[in-house]
Amino acid sequence: MKIKLTLFILLVSAATKSQVIDIPVFATGFSNVVEITNAGDERLFVVEQAGNIKIVNPDGTVKPENFLTLTNSTVLFDGERGLLGLVFHPQYATNGLFYVYYSRASDGASILAKYMVDPQNPDQALSGSETILLELPQPTVLHKGGTLRFGPDGYLYLATGDGGAAEVSQSPLHLYGKILRIDVNNTNFGLPYAIPEGNPFLISGLGLYEIWAWGLRNPWKYSFDSVTGDLWLADVGLNTYEEINHVPSTSAGLNYGWVCYEANSINTPGCAVTGTTYTYPVAFYEHTNGACSITGGYVYRGAMYPALQGKYLFTDFCKGHIGMLDENNNISYSAVFENNYFTTFGQDMHGELYIAASSTGIIHKIVDSSLSKIGFERPSLSVVPNPTDKAFSVRTLTSNYPAQLNVCDVTGKMIFSQEVNSETENISSDHLQNGLYLISLTDKTGAVATAKLAVSHNP
């Protein structure tokens, strides 16, 4: 049988648009971006498929030196192969560890490796610190997956593609077409990592211990909702459908159906095994109107755009619009951003979202431009005076000081950040140009309040 969750065939139509999504330029000068992430601070780390990891400052400028460079003697970059994944350890601030996933130059095998930052330079990794955790030989040049994430349980998750050998996705004796879950803080079974309790084959022994879920084709980006912990996973289809999967992060041992199913349709007659439970996507769309390959994103949990709150954002490599899936699995689409070929989303430490265009080498900030219709003051945060000339103060009924104040321009670029210790504290606006700014105040409990600030210097 197959579990049937709420399902929609998604058709692009002007009537489905809701928020007015815009994508102003945030940073430029990149090539073949496949990942954008953060290390728990204000920086963004941008992964280029050829083997480079670059750092972007909050104002959109790029550090002159790479964080890490894996040369062509290490990384095989062609087609779907290359440096594909990056994630920072949850305790990166204290242990300096991060993890990458790449195609090895010598044989094309997929490698999961651990690295360490230079303790003397937070903008430089130690290039000689590599420890290989997992080697996965590849049957073809296709479908490598590669997204790395730490789950809410603290374990490392890795999504592998089927490697172009579709039938192995249904075999628990292969690591292709799977989500793997490992404990990088411990070791057991003679491995450089431990197998967490709860992995489905640890007790039964009927499959490889690392497997958490299976039945995937080419999972191109997944994420965990930072509020609910739920897993959102986009799986690239074959000829007809692209699918979005949404399950609780605690759901072990799910079989997403490939190669027997594509979305909710039979792909291989006679493939399905009687008594096996297959899990449907919560939504899918067809290869119509130019769509071809889904790029998964994130549930928006930032503070700047309340109308996006709780919506899952995704895109399509060929179509170039941004899709928004709400809590009822209803889809709306932005306008089409022509000739961008979006390859990945990114999320900063505040939950704000970015998207990379492979055709231009540009990283865009995702904004809800309908914010301009919202008044200057909102109940959650008061800014006085507003408009301001030389200084202002902020007040919110729920703030527990000290609080962190961030001031961004309307494109989402960070202008400055400072600690605020009381609602009477004056914050200088002398250095701000005339215009409109977005303010967020995060108190010591993590509560976030937002407002808009107009700066108008007296002549």
Side-chain angles (χ1 to χ4, degrees):
M1 64 177 290
K2 207 169 185 195
I3 299 173
K4 187 168 184 178
L5 304 177
T6 305
L7 185 65
F8 293 90
I9 298 177
L10 309 178
L11 300 176
V12 180
S13 134
T16 63
K17 297 176 185 175
S18 54
Q19 286 76 50
V20 184
I21 295 295
D22 198 6
I23 54 169
V25 173
F26 182 75
T28 62
F30 302 96
S31 179
N32 299 103
V33 175
V34 292
E35 182 66 279
I36 306 167
T37 189
N38 73 84
D41 56 41
E42 297 288 354
R43 300 170 297 173
L44 287 179
F45 291 77
V46 177
V47 178
E48 295 181 327
Q49 194 175 352
N52 306 312
I53 301 176
K54 298 182 176 181
I55 297 177
V56 182
N57 298 311
D59 63 358
T61 58
V62 182
K63 298 281 187 185
E65 300 294 331
N66 289 348
F67 177 68
L68 179 66
T69 302
L70 300 180
T71 67
N72 57 14
S73 64
T74 300
V75 173
L76 175 61
F77 167 42
D78 66 356
E80 298 183 26
R81 298 184 290 191
L83 176 58
L84 302 175
L86 166 68
V87 70
F88 292 89
H89 193 284
Q91 282 75 54
Y92 177 76
T94 55
N95 66 22
L97 298 177
F98 64 96
Y99 303 81
V100 298
Y101 190 71
Y102 65 86
S103 304
R104 186 163 57 193
S106 60
D107 58 3
S110 293
I111 304 297
L112 172 64
K114 175 176 67 176
Y115 279 83
M116 178 175 289
V117 70
D118 185 340
Q120 305 303 317
N121 185 352
D123 292 335
Q124 287 285 308
L126 295 175
S127 59
S129 63
E130 181 184 52
T131 299
I132 293 178
L133 302 183
L134 180 68
E135 302 179 45
L136 182 59
Q138 290 289 341
T140 78
V141 301
L142 301 174
H143 306 166
K144 306 307 170 195
T147 304
L148 297 169
R149 299 282 185 261
F150 276 93
D153 53 15
Y155 297 129
L156 178 61
Y157 289 71
L158 163 64
T160 68
D162 66 13
E167 66 282 352
V168 299
S169 290
Q170 286 298 312
S171 170
L173 301 179
H174 295 88
L175 296 181
Y176 309 104
K178 309 296 192 295
I179 298 178
L180 313 182
R181 185 178 77 147
I182 61 175
D183 177 0
V184 295
N185 298 315
N186 297 287
T187 60
N188 59 18
F189 304 111
L191 299 168
Y193 49 82
I195 303 299
E197 293 185 10
N199 278 18
F201 298 114
L202 178 60
I203 302 300
S204 71
L206 298 178
L208 298 178
Y209 292 167
E210 292 87 349
I211 295 172
W212 175 253
W214 65 99
L216 298 168
R217 183 175 182 268
N218 190 25
W220 189 241
K221 302 303 174 182
Y222 66 93
S223 61
F224 292 97
D225 185 333
S226 62
V227 172
T228 68
D230 288 357
L231 173 66
W232 290 85
L233 183 145
D235 198 14
V236 177
L238 178 59
N239 297 318
T240 308
Y241 302 111
E242 304 296 310
E243 67 179 60
I244 299 170
N245 298 279
H246 172 208
V247 299
S249 63
T250 54
S251 297
L254 297 183
N255 186 331
Y256 291 101
W258 179 257
V259 62
C260 302
Y261 294 90
E262 184 179 21
N264 69 334
S265 299
I266 294 175
N267 179 70
T268 305
C271 173
V273 177
T274 302
T276 297
T277 298
Y278 301 94
T279 300
Y280 263 156
V282 294
F284 65 85
Y285 62 89
E286 295 186 65
H287 288 184
T288 55
N289 300 308
C292 73
S293 179
I294 192 169
T295 295
Y298 293 85
V299 174
Y300 179 78
R301 296 298 183 186
M304 289 186 177
Y305 310 112
L308 291 178
Q309 191 65 222
K311 294 185 177 180
Y312 174 72
L313 274 65
F314 65 96
T315 187
D316 187 277
F317 180 77
C318 295
K319 183 65 177 178
H321 56 194
I322 294 173
M324 293 159 282
L325 181 68
D326 68 17
E327 61 184 6
N328 297 314
N329 297 325
N330 297 314
I331 297 285
S332 59
Y333 286 104
S334 74
V336 173
F337 302 102
E338 299 285 356
N339 302 318
N340 280 281
Y341 301 104
F342 297 127
T343 50
T344 188
F345 287 81
Q347 185 180 55
D348 66 22
M349 67 174 294
H350 305 292
E352 300 303 328
L353 299 183
Y354 305 78
I355 193 168
S358 63
S359 60
T360 61
I362 293 174
I363 293 175
H364 300 267
K365 182 74 179 286
I366 294 176
V367 305
D368 178 3
S369 58
S370 62
L371 182 68
S372 61
K373 301 173 184 176
I374 300 173
F376 282 126
E377 295 188 20
R378 298 163 60 195
S380 60
L381 183 62
S382 174
V383 182
V384 179
N386 194 1
T388 185
D389 178 12
K390 297 184 180 298
F392 64 94
S393 62
V394 292
R395 171 186 289 185
T396 176
L397 296 177
T398 59
S399 279
N400 294 284
Y401 293 96
Q404 186 70 29
L405 176 78
N406 292 326
V407 178
C408 300
D409 67 17
V410 292
T411 72
K413 287 186 179 180
M414 180 75 71
I415 304 302
F416 73 92
S417 178
Q418 73 176 62
E419 184 177 285
V420 178
N421 292 292
S422 76
E423 62 186 32
T424 61
E425 182 174 337
N426 282 328
I427 301 154
S428 175
S429 54
D430 269 343
H431 60 294
L432 298 176
Q433 297 180 354
N434 287 348
L436 190 63
Y437 296 86
L438 307 175
I439 294 176
S440 65
L441 188 72
T442 305
D443 71 18
K444 65 182 182 181
T445 70
V448 180
T450 62
K452 292 167 65 178
L453 170 70
V455 174
S456 178
H457 296 300
N458 294 324

